[in-house]
Amino acid sequence: MASFSSSIMISLLFCCFLFINQTAKCDHDNEDTLLQGINKYRASLNLSALTENDKAECLADEMADQFQDQPCTNTTGSNTVRGNEPQFANYPRLLAKCDLNVTNTRDGKILPVCVPKLDPTLVLSNYTLSQYSQYLNDTSFTGIGIGHEDDWMVVVLTTSTPEGSFVPANGNGVANLAIKFGPISHYLVLLFGFFMVM
Ligand SMILES: *[C@@H]1O[C@H](CO)[C@@H](O)[C@H](O)[C@H]1NC(C)=O
Ligand SMILES: *[C@@H]1O[C@H](CO)[C@@H](O)[C@H](O)[C@H]1NC(C)=O
Ligand SMILES: *[C@@H]1O[C@H](CO)[C@@H](O)[C@H](O)[C@H]1NC(C)=O
Ligand SMILES: *[C@@H]1O[C@H](CO)[C@@H](O)[C@H](O)[C@H]1NC(C)=O
Ligand SMILES: *[C@@H]1O[C@H](CO)[C@@H](O)[C@H](O)[C@H]1NC(C)=O
C-alpha cells in the first residue's frame, strides 16, 4: 500500500519535472534557432561557426533582464549600448554576477534587438541584414552567448584573445549557471522506471 501511494507521488513528481523540462526546453528553442541561423550566415561567408560560451550566455541573460522593461520602440536597441559599454549603472555588477570583468570582456560585443514576440525570421534578419552583420562577418569573433526576455534578444560575441575571451584570468571554469533540468529529469525517469517495476 505504502509503495503504491509513493509510486503515485513519484509519478506526479515525474510529470511535474517533465513539464518544467519541456518549458525550459521550449524557452531555449528561439535561441537555438538564432544560433543555427547565425552560423549558417557565417558559413555562407566562409567563416568558422561560433561556439557557445557559457559566460557570454550568462551575461546575455543578465542583459536581457535589464532590457525587458524597456519599450520595443527602437528596433536595434543600439542606442542603449554605446561603444561596447551598456548604459547601465549596474553593468559592472552584471559582469561580476557572471564572474567577468571589463578586462576579459572589452573586445566582446553586445548586440541587443527587440522584435515583437521574437519572430524567428525577423530576429535573424535583425542580425544578418542590419549594421550588426559587420560583427557576424568578422573573423575575430569566435564565441557566442545568447539570452532573451520578453521581446528582447541579446547576442554577446566573444573573441579568442584574453581581452574578449570571457574567461576569467584565474581560469576556474566552474560556472554559476542556471540549473539545468535535463539531468534531474533523467534521474526521475530512472526512479519512475524503478517504481513501475516494483
Ligand atoms: C567560400 O569558399 C569557396 C571554396 O573555398 C568558394 O568557392 C566561395 O566563393 C567562397 N565564398 C565566399 C563568400 O567567400
Ligand atoms: C531611437 O533612438 C534614437 C537614438 O539612437 C533616438 O533619437 C530616437 O528618438 C529613438 N526613437 C524612439 C521611438 O524612441
Ligand atoms: C527588425 O525587427 C523589426 C521588428 O522589431 C522589424 O520591423 C524590422 O524589419 C527588422 N529589421 C530587419 C533588418 O530585419
Ligand atoms: C564580409 O567581410 C569581407 C571582408 O571584410 C567583405 O569583403 C565582404 O563584403 C563582407 N560581406 C558581407 C556580406 O558583409
Ligand atoms: C579582472 O580580473 C582579473 C583576474 O580575473 C584581474 O587580474 C583584473 O585586475 C580584473 N580587472 C578589473 C578591472 O577588475
Side-chain angles (χ1 to χ4, degrees), residues 72 75 114-116 121-126 129-130:
C72 206
T75 49
C114 192
V115 173
T121 310
L122 282 179
V123 169
L124 181 60
S125 61
N126 262 267
L129 300 178
S130 72

Side-chain angles (χ1 to χ4, degrees), residues 80-101:
T80 337
V81 181
R82 239 174 256 117
N84 196 31
E85 295 288 301
Q87 307 299 299
F88 296 133
N90 61 352
Y91 182 55
R93 197 177 56 78
L94 300 181
L95 285 177
K97 260 176 126 171
C98 298
D99 292 340
L100 294 167
N101 71 24

Side-chain angles (χ1 to χ4, degrees), residues 4-50:
F4 176 69
S5 59
S6 63
S7 54
I8 294 216
M9 281 286 288
I10 295 288
S11 311
L12 282 176
L13 214 59
F14 171 72
C15 291
C16 233
F17 270 94
L18 200 65
F19 175 73
I20 292 169
N21 200 12
Q22 211 54 43
T23 7
K25 191 165 176 291
C26 293
D27 210 38
H28 283 286
D29 276 357
N30 50 16
E31 294 176 10
D32 292 343
T33 305
L34 177 59
L35 178 61
Q36 282 163 20
I38 285 176
N39 275 335
K40 266 195 197 131
Y41 179 72
R42 297 262 304 179
S44 76
L45 298 168
N46 279 354
L47 300 179
S48 62
L50 299 170

